[in-house]
């Protein structure tokens, strides 16, 4: 260590869309009760295509026009509208809106799997079905790109700071948080909208069903959560939490599940060390592998090894929301903030420790961990 502490990275607002509805309070209440509200009709996301024999959990009653207006939505994918709406909700949660002087130093960092599976599937299908391949609509092509959602958010608000999109599979959200945290602590930005998005469509649902990676009865969901991250300074405005550390690693599957657990344990240990927290400080864990056969045990083993016998409360977000893949880490963080009562009434249960832990394990051997510190109680 060089003796110079990195500036704090604070979460000052967030927006979330999930199968539980809009907002962190709805998400946490669903996770706490283990049940989703009724009304999860998936007809809209299927677009007239047949559904696989799995339960589908879309964002209920999602109407992007209510948040984004009507102009230009016809050429946007569901991935883009979900991510843009979550970003609008995050900005609306700020005590003060972003002013002209702040836009040049505000950027967007989003995690995704492939962008919109439905958009590029339908676009390339048209190249075969139309009379001539070049008769496809050029207006639809930008929506196929991985960075389309992040670019749309930036252009909508004239943000000219750094703009990045990361595809890391199941750890995409935590990869985006790590990237953003590094950018803020090194002075490359002062404010970043950071999170992840995953859409539900007939194409993605069939891909999950055919992959064999879902246990019997496990649903497939979608969602987006976006957080406003700011470089903290003395006397800064109140914040929801501090992103104290975020680490990402990998273990080849050829080395077996025990090696993946060990990699996660090391990842958690590195995050704890970087944050200055100890296992005793962790009051709640928001885990990410409960919907994958066998991987919940891998994650639990790694977590237990890193926390050295401490047994914090565990939030199992995917048991409720279904497989949300690249958005899962962001939804786990949103559930953790809801657990701390950031969006709920003061009487909700609170974690006993000063910090929370978010863990993620991908079926490719990727692992990630983030430590989030809750703000000190007001005097």
């Amino acid at each position: 260590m060089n003796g110079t502490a990195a500036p704090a990275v604070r979460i000052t607002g967030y927006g979330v869309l999930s199968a539980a509805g809009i907002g962190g309070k709805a998400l946490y209440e669903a996770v706490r009760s283990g049940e989703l509200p009724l009304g999860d009709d998936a007809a809209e996301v299927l677009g007239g295509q047949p559904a696989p024999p799995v339960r589908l959990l879309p964002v209920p009653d999602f109407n992007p026009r209510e948040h984004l207006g009507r102009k230009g939505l016809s050429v946007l994918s569901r991935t883009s509208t979900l991510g843009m709406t979550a970003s609008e909700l995050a900005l609306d949660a700020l005590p003060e809106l972003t002013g002209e002087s702040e836009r040049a130093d505000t950027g967007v960092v989003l995690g995704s799997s492939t962008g919109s599976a439905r958009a590029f599937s339908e676009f390339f299908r048209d190249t075969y079905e139309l009379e001539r391949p070049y008769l496809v609509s050029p207006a639809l092509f930008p929506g196929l790109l991985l960075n389309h959602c992040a670019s749309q958010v930036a252009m909508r608000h004239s943000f000219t700071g750094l703009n990045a999109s990361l595809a890391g599979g199941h750890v995409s959200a935590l990869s985006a948080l790590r990237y953003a945290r590094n950018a803020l602590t090194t002075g490359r930005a002062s404010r970043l909208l950071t999170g992840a998005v995953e859409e539900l469509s007939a194409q993605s649902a069939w891909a999950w069903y055919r992959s064999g990676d879902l246990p019997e009865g496990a649903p497939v969901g979608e969602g987006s959560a976006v957080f406003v991250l700011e470089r903290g300074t003395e006397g800064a405005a109140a914040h929801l939490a501090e992103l104290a550390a975020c680490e990402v690693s990998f273990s080849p599957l050829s080395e077996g599940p025990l090696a993946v657990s060990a990699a996660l344990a090391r990842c958690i240990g590195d995050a704890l060390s970087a944050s200055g927290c100890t296992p005793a400080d962790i009051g709640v864990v928001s885990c990410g592998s409960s919907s994958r056969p066998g991987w919940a045990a891998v994650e639990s083993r790694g977590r237990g090894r890193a926390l050295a016998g401490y047994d914090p409360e565990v939030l199992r977000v995917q048991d409720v929301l279904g497989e949300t893949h690249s958005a899962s880490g962001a939804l786990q963080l949103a559930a953790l903030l809801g657990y701390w009562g950031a969006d709920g009434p003061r009487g909700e249960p609170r974690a006993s420790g000063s910090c929370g832990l978010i863990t993620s394990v991908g079926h490719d051997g990727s692992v990630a961990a983030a430590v989030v510190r809750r703000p000190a109680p007001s005097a």
Side-chain angles (χ1 to χ4, degrees):
M1 301 294 290
N2 60 11
T4 302
V9 173
R10 292 169 176 167
I11 302 173
T12 56
Y14 74 109
V16 56
L17 300 164
S18 70
I22 295 178
K25 180 180 178 181
L27 172 57
Y28 170 58
E29 289 181 347
V31 172
R32 181 176 60 178
S33 67
E35 298 179 357
L36 287 171
L38 298 177
D40 52 344
D41 182 14
E44 181 180 355
V45 299
L46 291 173
Q49 300 295 316
V54 297
R55 187 184 179 198
L56 305 181
L57 300 178
V59 176
D61 304 319
F62 176 53
N63 184 2
R65 294 184 180 89
E66 295 180 359
H67 305 276
L68 306 175
R70 304 181 66 88
K71 186 176 180 181
L73 293 189
S74 61
V75 296
L76 295 180
S77 67
R78 190 171 179 90
T79 290
S80 293
T81 55
L82 284 169
M84 292 171 67
T85 301
S87 298
E88 291 294 313
L89 294 171
L91 291 171
D92 289 345
L94 295 179
E96 297 180 5
L97 297 179
T98 303
E100 293 287 342
S101 62
E102 296 175 293
R103 292 181 180 178
D105 206 24
T106 299
V108 184
V109 180
L110 293 180
S112 181
S113 54
T114 57
S116 173
R118 176 177 177 177
F120 66 70
S121 174
E122 293 181 345
F123 184 88
F124 288 114
R125 185 185 63 194
D126 284 348
T127 67
Y128 289 95
E129 293 185 345
L130 295 180
E131 185 177 356
R132 295 286 188 273
Y134 53 77
L135 294 178
V136 296
S137 172
L140 299 178
F141 183 77
L144 312 185
L145 304 178
L146 181 69
N147 69 336
H148 186 252
C149 181
S151 299
Q152 288 295 310
V153 173
M155 288 188 290
R156 179 179 177 85
H157 295 282
S158 300
F159 295 152
T160 55
L162 68 85
N163 192 283
S165 299
L166 291 84
H170 199 68
V171 302
S172 295
L174 295 190
S175 295
L177 288 169
R178 184 178 187 273
Y179 182 100
R181 187 180 185 280
N182 288 343
L184 290 165
T185 58
T186 56
R188 295 169 57 204
S190 61
R191 172 184 283 174
L192 291 172
L193 270 69
T194 308
V197 57
E198 185 75 34
E199 73 169 26
L200 178 61
S201 64
Q203 290 81 358
S204 62
W206 275 105
W208 278 111
Y209 175 69
R210 294 294 189 186
S211 72
D213 286 330
L214 290 175
E216 185 176 355
V220 179
E222 67 173 356
S224 179
V226 175
F227 308 87
V228 182
L229 303 184
E230 300 189 44
R231 190 169 61 240
T233 57
E234 292 298 326
H239 57 284
L240 303 177
E242 177 187 337
L243 180 59
C246 192
E247 301 293 335
V248 178
S249 189
F250 176 79
S251 176
L253 289 182
S254 59
E255 297 182 5
L258 291 178
V260 178
S261 290
L264 177 61
R266 290 192 298 270
C267 201
I268 295 172
D270 290 343
L272 288 172
S273 178
S275 67
C277 296
T278 68
D281 295 323
I282 302 299
V284 59
V285 176
S286 191
C287 66
S289 291
S290 54
S291 70
R292 296 171 183 267
W295 289 105
V298 170
E299 184 175 19
S300 178
R301 186 181 296 112
R303 182 174 68 243
R305 179 174 174 178
L307 295 183
Y310 289 93
D311 189 22
E313 183 169 352
V314 177
L315 303 179
R316 304 186 185 279
V317 180
Q318 284 194 88
D319 282 355
V320 177
L321 300 185
E323 175 57 70
T324 55
H325 198 44
S326 60
S328 59
L331 295 172
Q332 289 166 236
L333 175 54
L336 175 59
L337 294 180
Y339 179 87
W340 280 342
D343 261 359
R346 296 297 181 182
E348 290 187 359
R350 301 300 183 101
S352 57
S354 61
C355 297
L357 176 66
I358 300 158
T359 58
S360 183
V361 177
H363 61 244
D364 60 351
S366 56
V367 296
V371 175
V372 184
R373 183 180 289 110
R374 61 192 300 190
S378 301

